[in-house]
Amino acid sequence: LIISVDRHSGKERWRINTSHSFGGGRGLIRSKKGRAFIVRRQNKNTTILTAIDLTDGEFSWKKKVDGNYLAAHSGLVMFTSHGGHKCFSIKTGKDESCPPKPARRNRFTLTQDGTVYSYDYEGYLCAKEEKSGEKKWQVPVRGLPRFAPMYHDGLLYISTYNGLFYAIDPEKVKK
């Protein structure tokens, strides 16, 4: 069940019974530009992405998709699987070209001069091209990060919970 409530008065605006409309499937909802997106498994091999207009609760569009991760970016909704991603217009659901996959960010990320430096939680500090997400290099780091990397006078500084402190010159790291 999805219920829209006026945030000031608390009165219900509309409701959708998802157990009937969606066959009891689980959904992931992301709100972007007046749309809610619900993802559910229709059967073992089919996943449905449905856009709902948040002003009136009406279905805007539905698409069969293959994947498991939903994101919204620049007027597009992206549905990502291990094999890549597929993009649709948020407004119409029409297939669109996907932009290059941006570098992933988390709380242990630093962006400096078009490069994103982040921990990958497999023991590496990675440098990726900010716009394309293409990996430039990676350096092994022992221990979990305490803070995001810091950049000062051309060096990256990293500290870990096991007491190690790294100073790395990003220009001298071998690819």
Side-chain angles (χ1 to χ4, degrees), residues 33-79:
K33 294 192 179 188
R35 298 276 194 270
F37 300 98
I38 299 172
V39 180
R40 73 160 183 91
R41 284 237 184 259
Q42 185 175 30
N43 58 44
K44 183 179 172 183
N45 299 319
T46 307
T47 303
I48 304 291
L49 171 63
T50 304
I52 299 171
D53 188 315
L54 293 175
T55 56
D56 57 14
E58 296 294 320
F59 296 118
S60 299
W61 50 266
K62 290 183 184 181
K63 286 281 190 178
K64 287 184 183 179
V65 291
D66 178 29
N68 55 10
Y69 181 72
L70 180 67
H73 174 61
S74 300
L76 299 174
V77 61
M78 292 186 278
F79 204 74

Side-chain angles (χ1 to χ4, degrees), residues 49-114:
L49 171 63
T50 304
I52 299 171
D53 188 315
L54 293 175
T55 56
D56 57 14
E58 296 294 320
F59 296 118
S60 299
W61 50 266
K62 290 183 184 181
K63 286 281 190 178
K64 287 184 183 179
V65 291
D66 178 29
N68 55 10
Y69 181 72
L70 180 67
H73 174 61
S74 300
L76 299 174
V77 61
M78 292 186 278
F79 204 74
T80 306
S81 68
H82 295 295
H85 51 280
K86 187 157 178 121
C87 293
F88 309 100
S89 164
I90 285 177
K91 193 172 188 177
T92 66
K94 180 182 168 210
D95 290 14
E96 298 282 349
S97 296
C98 292
K101 191 173 181 181
R104 196 168 170 201
R105 289 176 167 74
N106 60 40
R107 69 185 190 133
F108 297 116
T109 301
L110 167 73
T111 302
Q112 180 73 35
D113 300 327

Side-chain angles (χ1 to χ4, degrees), residues 142-144 146 159-166:
R142 289 194 337 224
L144 292 174
R146 286 186 71 97
S159 66
T160 65
Y161 274 104
N162 61 354
L164 296 174
F165 190 78
Y166 295 83

Side-chain angles (χ1 to χ4, degrees), residues 7-21:
R7 71 178 181 172
H8 299 293
S9 69
K11 291 184 180 181
E12 183 177 312
R13 295 174 48 218
W14 52 262
R15 72 173 47 208
I16 298 172
N17 183 348
T18 57
S19 63
H20 173 71
S21 301

